[in-house]
Structure formats: C-alpha cells, structure tokens
Amino acid sequence: MFAANGALAQPPVDTVDVQPSAYLDIRHNVSLVQLIANPEKYDGKKIQVIGFLQVQFEGNAVYLHEEDYRHGISSNGFWVSFSDKLRRHRKVGQYSNRYVILIGTFRADRRGHMGLFSGTLENIVRLDGWDLKLE
C-alpha cells in the first residue's frame, strides 16, 4: 500500500493488530513449558506462544499438547481472551482444535474459568494456524 507521495504507507491503525508480528513489539517468544515453570517472569508482558487451541463456551484455552485438552489437564493450559480488533478480522472458532500461534499479554494471577488454568493470555492480537507438514 502506498501513500499519495509514493512512500510505503503503514496499514490502518485498526488492522495493525492482525498484521505479521514484524509490526508488533514482541520481545518474548515463549514456550508454554516456560510459562508453566516461570509464570512470574512473563507476568504483564506481551508474548508469543504456540499451542493447541480450544474455543468453546467457558473453555477458551491454549494447551501445551492436544492430549492435555483431551484428558482435561487444565494445568497444562492457559485461558485465552481475544482483542476486539482481532475478533473483527478473524473467525476465532475456525481455529479451534488446531495448533496455533498467538500473541497476547500474559497474566499469571488470572487463572480463567473456575481458576483451573495456569494463567491467562489476554488481549490476543495475533491468531494464526500452526500447521506444519513433515515429510
């Protein structure tokens, strides 16, 4: 996209949150194992994680593994909440039951529905599938 003067224009403010992470200030690419082991280290920070996403009523969460979701091991998962901007640009439910990459702000003291999870990833601004096919 170019501005009238021919210079490269930035995307509109309303869509910046769903652009590739190069537009976002992400200093922490964190594994869910690191979050479980050291939640205080990332509390209040914007982080990027990869995990298995489940989107359902009173059960929006990202898990370390699909098996953790299937066996109800919520301590290996984190409650998730999506930004309004992302919800306007993504059909969040289409990413359920898949591995995804997320960017959001981590809160160690917010443990989700009934306090079952190991924290919360809130105000999520990136949601993309993480489907790698190995040959």
Side-chain angles (χ1 to χ4, degrees), residues 50-117:
I50 297 170
F52 184 79
L53 181 67
Q54 179 61 30
V55 178
Q56 64 184 29
F57 179 69
E58 295 182 346
N60 292 347
V62 62
Y63 293 86
L64 182 59
H65 298 289
E66 180 178 0
E67 291 79 13
D68 295 320
Y69 162 68
R70 302 260 179 245
H71 295 285
I73 306 172
S74 56
S75 59
N76 283 351
F78 297 87
W79 187 257
V80 295
S81 65
F82 302 95
S83 73
D84 291 337
K85 289 180 183 180
L86 186 126
R87 285 189 172 278
R88 284 195 300 271
H89 296 282
R90 293 279 194 276
K91 293 181 181 176
V92 173
Q94 290 181 339
Y95 293 87
S96 190
N97 296 311
R98 294 176 57 185
Y99 282 90
V100 296
I101 187 165
L102 304 169
I103 294 175
T105 302
F106 179 66
R107 301 289 181 203
D109 61 337
R110 298 180 187 159
R111 301 176 59 87
H113 184 64
M114 297 178 60
L116 296 173
F117 296 90

Side-chain angles (χ1 to χ4, degrees), residues 28 30 35 38-47 105-110 118-120 122:
H28 303 284
V30 181
L35 281 184
N38 300 297
E40 67 286 342
K41 181 177 179 180
Y42 302 100
D43 190 37
K45 295 181 179 172
K46 188 179 275 191
I47 61 170
T105 302
F106 179 66
R107 301 289 181 203
D109 61 337
R110 298 180 187 159
S118 291
T120 295
E122 64 183 17

Side-chain angles (χ1 to χ4, degrees), residues 1-2 8-20 23:
M1 173 180 345
F2 291 93
L8 185 62
Q10 292 295 318
V13 172
D14 196 45
T15 62
V16 168
D17 285 350
V18 293
Q19 296 299 317
Y23 285 113

